[in-house]
Amino acid sequence: MTGNVPDSLIPYDEIVQEALRAVVGRVLDQVAATGALPGAHHFYITFKTRAPGVDIPDRLIERFPDEMTIVLQHRFWDLKVDDHRFSVGLSFNQIPSILTIPFAAITGFHDPAVNFELRFQAAEDPDGPEPHDEAENDEPPVATPVEDGSNVVAVDFKRKK
């Protein structure tokens, strides 16, 4: 028997990515249903700003041409979630904005309150990502890392050719 593994005709990596993105949707849906974050939970959500279906103000795309991280903690409103996307109101430099983000555009989800993190594959840009400033949601939170354990899930499938 050789050590070669045949290419799968079933796209397992895509199926797993989709299932894990559904976790993000389910968590956000629970927050939207109650209208508040439970306990100390808060979320850092990183997404591709130019992914299909992303709807954010042009000034944010100019500032974050590749990827952006938003924080859902103290100041957000109108969180709405469906099977494919979420929208939320956030303020950037005292300017209120509504962002619509498909789950397929998300590249990272982190809840520092319990040290839970998901990372997702993104289509790679052959030129690499452009450098950008960090997002500056109004009143950025101070996160304290949890040192007593980790619930980090990193998904990085590589197809063998």
Side-chain angles (χ1 to χ4, degrees):
M1 191 184 282
T2 65
N4 295 339
V5 177
D7 285 340
S8 176
L9 299 176
I10 299 171
Y12 287 112
D13 53 346
E14 293 172 19
I15 293 168
V16 170
Q17 291 276 318
E18 186 178 320
L20 289 174
R21 282 187 171 102
V23 170
V24 175
R26 189 168 173 184
V27 168
L28 292 177
D29 194 40
Q30 289 179 358
V31 172
T34 63
L37 290 161
H41 291 277
H42 57 287
F43 312 129
Y44 290 81
I45 302 171
T46 303
F47 63 96
K48 292 290 188 180
T49 56
R50 295 182 190 266
V54 170
D55 185 11
I56 63 175
D58 289 340
R59 70 183 187 287
L60 295 177
I61 292 175
E62 289 171 10
R63 187 158 179 207
F64 306 101
D66 179 54
E67 200 168 61
M68 178 178 184
T69 300
I70 58 172
V71 179
L72 300 187
Q73 186 174 18
H74 298 296
R75 303 180 100 189
F76 67 93
W77 60 92
D78 290 339
L79 177 62
K80 295 179 181 134
V81 183
D82 68 28
D83 291 341
H84 304 286
R85 71 193 58 79
F86 73 97
S87 65
V88 64
L90 291 169
S91 182
F92 298 90
N93 294 324
Q94 306 297 320
I95 301 170
S97 305
I98 298 293
L99 289 73
T100 300
I101 303 162
F103 296 120
I106 295 174
T107 60
F109 176 85
H110 183 210
D111 182 348
V114 292
N115 203 24
F116 178 80
E117 184 169 5
L118 295 171
R119 294 279 175 204
F120 305 103
Q121 285 179 292
E124 295 192 19
D125 181 356
D127 299 327
E130 295 182 32
H132 63 80
D133 297 331
E134 291 297 314
E136 295 175 359
N137 293 49
D138 291 340
E139 297 182 26
V142 176
T144 306
V146 177
E147 299 295 334
D148 62 348
S150 177
N151 293 326
V152 176
V153 177
V155 178
D156 188 19
F157 293 99
K158 304 279 187 215
R159 284 190 186 206
K160 295 183 180 182
K161 301 282 178 180

